[in-house]
């Protein structure tokens, strides 16, 4: 147990130091780290906590056990958030007595650099808990997406899945290689969406806004019949095409280095956003 | 005709001046503008041109007429590119004698700030013309996506359509409001995709790369059954929901001002990319 705590603290120190180097902190690393209290028991860890975020593995039995233990040790009104990206709140909180204060708070990887977090209530989650979670997350620099009710994949993975499925289909059909898809997003669509989301994009791309856009371009999208052939077979031959292309560009053992590079770029973007906010 | 040329030149001067202000030019505005030769006849405009980009309205009769006239006046080996986003090369170049040198070069709006351009060959387009177009576009700072053959919507609008369709569906089903979708992309998925495209994203998100990712997360995406209910009805009640939300955030007459703001942000991002390239 001590080993786990030490490893975790050492990773946190590194992360905070990286964020400091990127100019993302408004306090010294020491001031931030001094607020972290490592504990070796749940009751100690949860004492005085208003908001609890559990990040245990994505297995429903694990979640049940952890949530039951958290519930037994937390303050009566503490909000209990789970970081799951795949398990549904209705299943996770099924046998939890105080399910009213349980919800999903799902960040995007890497969570210390990407502001968006989605909040997903279960059938029993109350509005007060959602509100508290939202306030606390916004105060700590996140931008919150709130779902009205659960849906498989939530919003993030449904949107990511829609893009990936069309991407696999385009490669499967031999229209483009995987790198072309990455260029189309990286140096095209996503560059634009990172400034104005997809609805604002189409709102700005027709003189009368989004209503007008649907009149002008809706029929074009109807003609594309996207998804009409059903899901692409990700495990079919297209998997070898994508794998061969990726491996030609990056050896598997280079993934950690490339991830570091990605995070440095994301940190720059986050820093840029922060500058904007401070100036305004 | 003179009025058209003058209006066009004046818009170009403004654009070049904006780009200069954003630090996007490697030459003075005067040097760039001095290379623009306004003409009032096609033969004059095409004399000596190796690459021709036509940007006339998206109507097949217009394209046929314009392409026929361009063909008659262009140098024998000039590449003829069309900026269409909706018309298929096979239809556009059907009756053009030298269809071998005709192709689609489709930029993304705003084209002076977004680097990605997709090249779409028609059935008769030869490899040499595609190669020439690619070289010229890359030399002028674009990042090129090359399609192996045409498909309705090409790559850009198919990927955009996949996102929009899932977005409309999520709003249609009352899962989230339009602004939540925009946040999920702007401050989440697209921020990441603007650094590493969707294939590279999943390649970095599993220890063994994309092959491993498909094993780990493929079944989760299968369970989402994205698109299984068919296309969302963009013109149904969801249209009023999205319109009401957008209009509450931005009046229609504010669209031009917001577009200017968007372009200024995109210019910053483009400038940042340029700095990176110069340093490396």
């Amino acid at each position: 147990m001590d080993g786990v705590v030490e490893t975790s603290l050492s990773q946190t120190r590194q992360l905070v130091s990286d964020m400091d180097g990127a100019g993302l902190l408004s306090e010294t690393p020491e001031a931030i780290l001094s607020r972290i209290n490592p504990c070796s028991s749940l009751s100690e860890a949860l004492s005085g906590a208003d908001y609890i975020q559990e990040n245990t593995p994505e297995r429903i039995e694990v979640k049940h056990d952890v949530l039951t233990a958290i519930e037994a040790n937390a303050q009566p009104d503490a909000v209990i958030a789970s970081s799951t990206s795949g398990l549904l709140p209705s299943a996770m909180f099924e046998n939890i007595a105080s399910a009213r204060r349980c919800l999903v708070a799902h960040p995007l990887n890497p969570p210390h650099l990407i502001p968006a977090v989605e909040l997903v209530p279960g059938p029993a989650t109350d509005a007060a808990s959602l509100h508290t979670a939202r306030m606390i997350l916004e105060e700590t620099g996140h931008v919150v997406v709130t779902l009205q009710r659960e849906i498989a994949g939530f919003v993030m993975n449904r949107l990511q899945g829609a893009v990936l499925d069309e991407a696999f289909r385009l490669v499967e059909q031999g229209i483009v290689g995987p790198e072309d898809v990455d260029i189309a997003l990286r140096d095209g669509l996503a560059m634009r969406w990172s400034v104005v989301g997809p609805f604002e994009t189409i709102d700005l791309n027709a003189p009368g806004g989004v209503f007008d856009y649907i009149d002008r371009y809706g029929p074009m999208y109807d003609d594309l019949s996207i998804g009409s052939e059903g899901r692409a077979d990700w495990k079919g031959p297209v998997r070898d095409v994508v794998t061969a292309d990726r491996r030609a560009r990056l050896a598997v053992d280079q993934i950690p280095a490339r991830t570091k590079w990605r995070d440095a770029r994301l940190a720059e973007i986050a820093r840029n956003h922060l500058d904007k906010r401070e100036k305004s």
Side-chain angles (χ1 to χ4, degrees), chain A residues 132-160:
Chain A
T132 302
R134 185 176 185 120
M135 290 301 112
I136 290 175
L137 287 164
E138 286 182 346
E139 266 174 44
T140 53
H142 294 92
V143 189
V144 178
V145 172
T146 310
L147 278 68
Q148 295 304 308
R149 60 178 191 279
E150 69 178 30
I151 185 172
F154 313 147
V155 163
M156 297 287 193
N157 278 328
R158 291 194 77 85
L159 290 168
Q160 174 160 253

Short mmCIF file of all heavy atoms in Angstrom, two decimals, chain A residues 132-160:
data_model
loop_
_atom_site.label_atom_id
_atom_site.label_comp_id
_atom_site.label_asym_id
_atom_site.label_seq_id
_atom_site.Cartn_x
_atom_site.Cartn_y
_atom_site.Cartn_z
N THR A 132 -23.79 20.71 -7.64
CA THR A 132 -22.55 20.79 -6.85
C THR A 132 -21.35 20.33 -7.69
O THR A 132 -20.30 21.00 -7.72
CB THR A 132 -22.66 19.91 -5.59
OG1 THR A 132 -23.79 20.36 -4.83
CG2 THR A 132 -21.40 19.98 -4.75
N ALA A 133 -21.53 19.20 -8.36
CA ALA A 133 -20.42 18.67 -9.17
C ALA A 133 -20.02 19.68 -10.24
O ALA A 133 -18.83 19.97 -10.45
CB ALA A 133 -20.83 17.34 -9.81
N ARG A 134 -21.02 20.25 -10.89
CA ARG A 134 -20.76 21.20 -11.95
C ARG A 134 -20.00 22.43 -11.44
O ARG A 134 -19.00 22.87 -12.04
CB ARG A 134 -22.09 21.63 -12.59
CG ARG A 134 -21.91 22.53 -13.77
CD ARG A 134 -23.21 22.88 -14.49
NE ARG A 134 -22.84 23.66 -15.67
CZ ARG A 134 -23.11 23.32 -16.92
NH1 ARG A 134 -23.81 22.24 -17.18
NH2 ARG A 134 -22.70 24.07 -17.94
N MET A 135 -20.45 22.96 -10.29
CA MET A 135 -19.80 24.14 -9.70
C MET A 135 -18.34 23.86 -9.37
O MET A 135 -17.44 24.64 -9.69
CB MET A 135 -20.53 24.58 -8.41
CG MET A 135 -21.91 25.17 -8.62
SD MET A 135 -21.88 26.66 -9.69
CE MET A 135 -22.74 26.06 -11.15
N ILE A 136 -18.11 22.72 -8.72
CA ILE A 136 -16.74 22.39 -8.30
C ILE A 136 -15.84 22.17 -9.52
O ILE A 136 -14.71 22.65 -9.57
CB ILE A 136 -16.75 21.16 -7.36
CG1 ILE A 136 -17.38 21.56 -6.02
CG2 ILE A 136 -15.35 20.57 -7.18
CD1 ILE A 136 -17.57 20.42 -5.04
N LEU A 137 -16.35 21.48 -10.53
CA LEU A 137 -15.54 21.23 -11.72
C LEU A 137 -15.25 22.53 -12.47
O LEU A 137 -14.12 22.75 -12.94
CB LEU A 137 -16.24 20.22 -12.64
CG LEU A 137 -16.20 18.77 -12.11
CD1 LEU A 137 -17.21 17.89 -12.84
CD2 LEU A 137 -14.79 18.18 -12.25
N GLU A 138 -16.23 23.42 -12.56
CA GLU A 138 -16.00 24.69 -13.26
C GLU A 138 -15.00 25.56 -12.48
O GLU A 138 -14.13 26.20 -13.08
CB GLU A 138 -17.33 25.43 -13.48
CG GLU A 138 -18.14 24.77 -14.60
CD GLU A 138 -19.46 25.46 -14.93
OE1 GLU A 138 -19.91 26.32 -14.13
OE2 GLU A 138 -20.05 25.12 -15.96
N GLU A 139 -15.13 25.54 -11.15
CA GLU A 139 -14.17 26.32 -10.34
C GLU A 139 -12.74 25.83 -10.53
O GLU A 139 -11.79 26.58 -10.39
CB GLU A 139 -14.52 26.19 -8.85
CG GLU A 139 -15.40 27.32 -8.34
CD GLU A 139 -15.84 27.06 -6.90
OE1 GLU A 139 -14.99 26.64 -6.08
OE2 GLU A 139 -17.04 27.26 -6.62
N THR A 140 -12.59 24.55 -10.85
CA THR A 140 -11.24 24.00 -11.03
C THR A 140 -10.83 24.01 -12.50
O THR A 140 -9.91 23.30 -12.89
CB THR A 140 -11.15 22.58 -10.45
OG1 THR A 140 -12.22 21.79 -11.02
CG2 THR A 140 -11.31 22.59 -8.94
N GLY A 141 -11.51 24.84 -13.32
CA GLY A 141 -11.03 25.07 -14.68
C GLY A 141 -11.60 24.16 -15.76
O GLY A 141 -11.17 24.21 -16.90
N HIS A 142 -12.56 23.32 -15.41
CA HIS A 142 -13.14 22.45 -16.43
C HIS A 142 -14.28 23.14 -17.17
O HIS A 142 -14.85 24.11 -16.69
CB HIS A 142 -13.66 21.15 -15.79
CG HIS A 142 -12.56 20.32 -15.22
ND1 HIS A 142 -12.14 20.40 -13.92
CD2 HIS A 142 -11.76 19.39 -15.80
CE1 HIS A 142 -11.14 19.57 -13.72
NE2 HIS A 142 -10.88 18.94 -14.83
N VAL A 143 -14.60 22.62 -18.34
CA VAL A 143 -15.78 23.06 -19.07
C VAL A 143 -16.71 21.86 -19.11
O VAL A 143 -16.32 20.77 -19.53
CB VAL A 143 -15.42 23.54 -20.49
CG1 VAL A 143 -16.63 24.19 -21.15
CG2 VAL A 143 -14.26 24.51 -20.46
N VAL A 144 -17.94 22.06 -18.61
CA VAL A 144 -18.80 20.92 -18.30
C VAL A 144 -19.90 20.71 -19.34
O VAL A 144 -20.61 21.65 -19.72
CB VAL A 144 -19.41 21.08 -16.90
CG1 VAL A 144 -20.36 19.93 -16.58
CG2 VAL A 144 -18.30 21.18 -15.85
N VAL A 145 -20.02 19.47 -19.79
CA VAL A 145 -21.14 19.02 -20.63
C VAL A 145 -22.08 18.25 -19.71
O VAL A 145 -21.65 17.29 -19.06
CB VAL A 145 -20.63 18.08 -21.74
CG1 VAL A 145 -21.79 17.44 -22.51
CG2 VAL A 145 -19.66 18.81 -22.67
N THR A 146 -23.35 18.65 -19.64
CA THR A 146 -24.28 17.95 -18.75
C THR A 146 -25.31 17.17 -19.54
O THR A 146 -26.08 17.76 -20.31
CB THR A 146 -25.01 18.95 -17.81
OG1 THR A 146 -24.04 19.79 -17.19
CG2 THR A 146 -25.78 18.20 -16.73
N LEU A 147 -25.34 15.86 -19.36
CA LEU A 147 -26.34 15.03 -20.02
C LEU A 147 -27.63 15.06 -19.20
O LEU A 147 -27.60 15.06 -17.96
CB LEU A 147 -25.86 13.58 -20.17
CG LEU A 147 -24.93 13.29 -21.37
CD1 LEU A 147 -23.58 13.97 -21.20
CD2 LEU A 147 -24.75 11.80 -21.57
N GLN A 148 -28.78 15.09 -19.89
CA GLN A 148 -30.07 15.08 -19.20
C GLN A 148 -30.37 13.70 -18.63
O GLN A 148 -31.03 13.57 -17.62
CB GLN A 148 -31.19 15.50 -20.16
CG GLN A 148 -31.07 16.94 -20.64
CD GLN A 148 -31.01 17.93 -19.48
OE1 GLN A 148 -31.86 17.91 -18.60
NE2 GLN A 148 -29.98 18.76 -19.46
N ARG A 149 -29.88 12.67 -19.33
CA ARG A 149 -30.03 11.30 -18.84
C ARG A 149 -28.96 10.46 -19.52
O ARG A 149 -28.33 10.90 -20.49
CB ARG A 149 -31.43 10.76 -19.13
CG ARG A 149 -31.82 10.72 -20.59
CD ARG A 149 -33.23 10.13 -20.79
NE ARG A 149 -33.46 9.86 -22.21
CZ ARG A 149 -33.84 10.79 -23.10
NH1 ARG A 149 -34.00 12.04 -22.73
NH2 ARG A 149 -34.03 10.45 -24.37
N GLU A 150 -28.76 9.25 -19.02
CA GLU A 150 -27.69 8.42 -19.55
C GLU A 150 -28.01 7.87 -20.93
O GLU A 150 -29.17 7.72 -21.31
CB GLU A 150 -27.41 7.25 -18.59
CG GLU A 150 -28.52 6.22 -18.52
CD GLU A 150 -28.19 5.05 -17.58
OE1 GLU A 150 -27.45 5.26 -16.61
OE2 GLU A 150 -28.70 3.95 -17.85
N ILE A 151 -26.95 7.60 -21.68
CA ILE A 151 -27.05 6.92 -22.97
C ILE A 151 -25.72 6.18 -23.13
O ILE A 151 -24.68 6.69 -22.67
CB ILE A 151 -27.30 7.92 -24.13
CG1 ILE A 151 -27.51 7.18 -25.46
CG2 ILE A 151 -26.19 8.94 -24.25
CD1 ILE A 151 -27.95 8.09 -26.61
N ALA A 152 -25.73 4.99 -23.73
CA ALA A 152 -24.50 4.22 -23.88
C ALA A 152 -23.45 5.05 -24.63
O ALA A 152 -23.76 5.63 -25.67
CB ALA A 152 -24.78 2.92 -24.63
N GLY A 153 -22.23 5.11 -24.09
CA GLY A 153 -21.16 5.88 -24.71
C GLY A 153 -21.18 7.36 -24.34
O GLY A 153 -20.29 8.11 -24.71
N PHE A 154 -22.22 7.75 -23.59
CA PHE A 154 -22.38 9.16 -23.23
C PHE A 154 -22.28 10.03 -24.50
O PHE A 154 -22.62 9.55 -25.59
CB PHE A 154 -21.37 9.59 -22.15
CG PHE A 154 -21.27 8.63 -20.98
CD1 PHE A 154 -20.07 8.44 -20.31
CD2 PHE A 154 -22.38 7.89 -20.55
CE1 PHE A 154 -19.96 7.56 -19.23
CE2 PHE A 154 -22.29 7.00 -19.48
CZ PHE A 154 -21.06 6.83 -18.83
N VAL A 155 -21.84 11.27 -24.37
CA VAL A 155 -21.77 12.12 -25.56
C VAL A 155 -20.40 12.01 -26.23
O VAL A 155 -20.29 11.89 -27.45
CB VAL A 155 -22.11 13.58 -25.19
CG1 VAL A 155 -21.65 14.55 -26.27
CG2 VAL A 155 -23.61 13.72 -24.97
N MET A 156 -19.35 12.01 -25.42
CA MET A 156 -17.98 12.02 -25.97
C MET A 156 -17.72 10.80 -26.86
O MET A 156 -17.27 10.93 -27.99
CB MET A 156 -16.95 12.00 -24.84
CG MET A 156 -17.00 13.20 -23.94
SD MET A 156 -16.34 14.69 -24.75
CE MET A 156 -16.18 15.74 -23.30
N ASN A 157 -17.98 9.61 -26.31
CA ASN A 157 -17.65 8.43 -27.10
C ASN A 157 -18.63 8.17 -28.24
O ASN A 157 -18.27 7.52 -29.22
CB ASN A 157 -17.48 7.20 -26.20
CG ASN A 157 -16.10 7.17 -25.57
OD1 ASN A 157 -15.13 7.63 -26.17
ND2 ASN A 157 -16.00 6.64 -24.36
N ARG A 158 -19.83 8.71 -28.13
CA ARG A 158 -20.75 8.60 -29.29
C ARG A 158 -20.25 9.48 -30.43
O ARG A 158 -20.25 9.06 -31.58
CB ARG A 158 -22.18 9.00 -28.91
CG ARG A 158 -22.87 8.03 -27.97
CD ARG A 158 -24.36 8.27 -27.90
NE ARG A 158 -25.02 7.73 -29.07
CZ ARG A 158 -25.40 6.45 -29.19
NH1 ARG A 158 -25.19 5.59 -28.22
NH2 ARG A 158 -25.99 6.05 -30.30
N LEU A 159 -19.81 10.70 -30.12
CA LEU A 159 -19.29 11.58 -31.17
C LEU A 159 -17.98 11.03 -31.73
O LEU A 159 -17.76 11.00 -32.94
CB LEU A 159 -19.09 13.00 -30.62
CG LEU A 159 -20.40 13.76 -30.30
CD1 LEU A 159 -20.09 15.02 -29.49
CD2 LEU A 159 -21.17 14.13 -31.56
N GLN A 160 -17.11 10.54 -30.82
CA GLN A 160 -15.85 9.95 -31.28
C GLN A 160 -16.13 8.70 -32.12
O GLN A 160 -15.51 8.48 -33.16
CB GLN A 160 -14.96 9.60 -30.09
CG GLN A 160 -13.69 8.85 -30.51
CD GLN A 160 -12.59 8.90 -29.46
OE1 GLN A 160 -11.60 9.60 -29.65
NE2 GLN A 160 -12.75 8.18 -28.38
#
